[in-house]
Amino acid sequence: MSSVEILGFIAGALTTCAFVPQVYKTYKTKSAKDVSMPMFVIFACGTISWVIYGIMSAKPPIYVSNVIIFILAAFQIALKIKYDAKKEKPV
Amino acid sequence: MSSVEILGFIAGALTTCAFVPQVYKTYKTKSAKDVSMPMFVIFACGTISWVIYGIMSAKPPIYVSNVIIFILAAFQIALKIKYDAKKEKPV
């Protein structure tokens, strides 16, 4: 593996891992009021495009990391829908 | 420009634009309590790695988009620090 590819995997690992604390925080606090839904929806669409781009340009760090980011973003969207709906219920 | 490169720029535009609604939401609501600080810090580090990777592998869609994402992530971090500090003040 070339040093450029290693750097790509480090970059991919960082941008992928970044989503874990957000998903964890939302899960623990059961609140995602301040989290922007459009952000995660647009980002998820972006990751799909990056996966296709990564495959077409034969860059494993790009498509591998973006597949995982897509899953994490989808999970964040699901949590936000769940907790925002709960907050709207009358107490 | 090749079709792969166009797709890369679409992907880059999506993952870049995704940060705008989050920054805007935080700015408008003046609250970022539910937004994870580690997410944006780790993500910002990731974008720096992607910029270096993009330059080294001569992929403009990667380094161009990640420079902008870095700026937006840094702005989100600054807003979170500002509004979280305000919330901690006694009313």
Side-chain angles (χ1 to χ4, degrees):
Chain A
M1 200 187 283
S2 71
S3 60
V4 178
E5 205 163 46
I6 291 167
L7 179 67
F9 273 111
I10 292 168
L14 285 168
T15 47
T16 305
C17 291
F19 281 80
V20 176
Q22 181 62 65
V23 171
Y24 180 76
K25 181 170 189 149
T26 303
Y27 179 76
K28 284 304 270 185
T29 62
K30 311 221 177 301
S31 173
K33 180 176 64 67
D34 299 333
V35 175
S36 165
M37 178 64 105
M39 173 184 171
F40 282 87
V41 172
I42 301 169
F43 206 91
C45 296
T47 59
I48 296 168
S49 314
W50 277 124
V51 169
I52 303 167
Y53 172 85
I55 292 168
M56 286 175 79
S57 54
K59 297 284 178 201
I62 296 172
Y63 61 79
V64 171
S65 58
N66 278 284
V67 163
I68 304 167
I69 296 173
F70 175 79
I71 295 164
L72 287 165
F75 203 62
Q76 177 65 39
I77 291 167
L79 286 178
K80 180 162 171 69
I81 291 169
K82 184 181 171 185
Y83 297 134
D84 280 8
K86 272 192 182 171
K87 284 219 166 156
E88 277 167 22
K89 275 187 195 166
V91 185
Chain B
M1 199 186 282
S2 71
S3 60
V4 178
E5 207 164 42
I6 291 167
L7 179 68
F9 273 111
I10 292 168
L14 285 168
T15 47
T16 305
C17 292
F19 281 80
V20 177
Q22 181 62 65
V23 172
Y24 180 77
K25 182 171 188 148
T26 303
Y27 178 76
K28 285 304 267 186
T29 61
K30 310 220 178 303
S31 172
K33 180 177 62 67
D34 299 333
V35 175
S36 166
M37 178 65 103
M39 173 183 172
F40 283 88
V41 172
I42 301 168
F43 207 91
C45 296
T47 58
I48 296 168
S49 314
W50 278 124
V51 169
I52 303 166
Y53 172 85
I55 292 168
M56 287 174 79
S57 54
K59 297 284 178 199
I62 296 171
Y63 61 77
V64 171
S65 58
N66 278 284
V67 163
I68 305 168
I69 296 172
F70 175 79
I71 295 165
L72 288 166
F75 202 62
Q76 176 66 38
I77 290 166
L79 287 178
K80 180 164 171 67
I81 291 168
K82 185 180 171 187
Y83 297 133
D84 281 8
K86 274 193 181 170
K87 285 219 166 155
E88 276 165 24
K89 276 188 195 164
V91 185

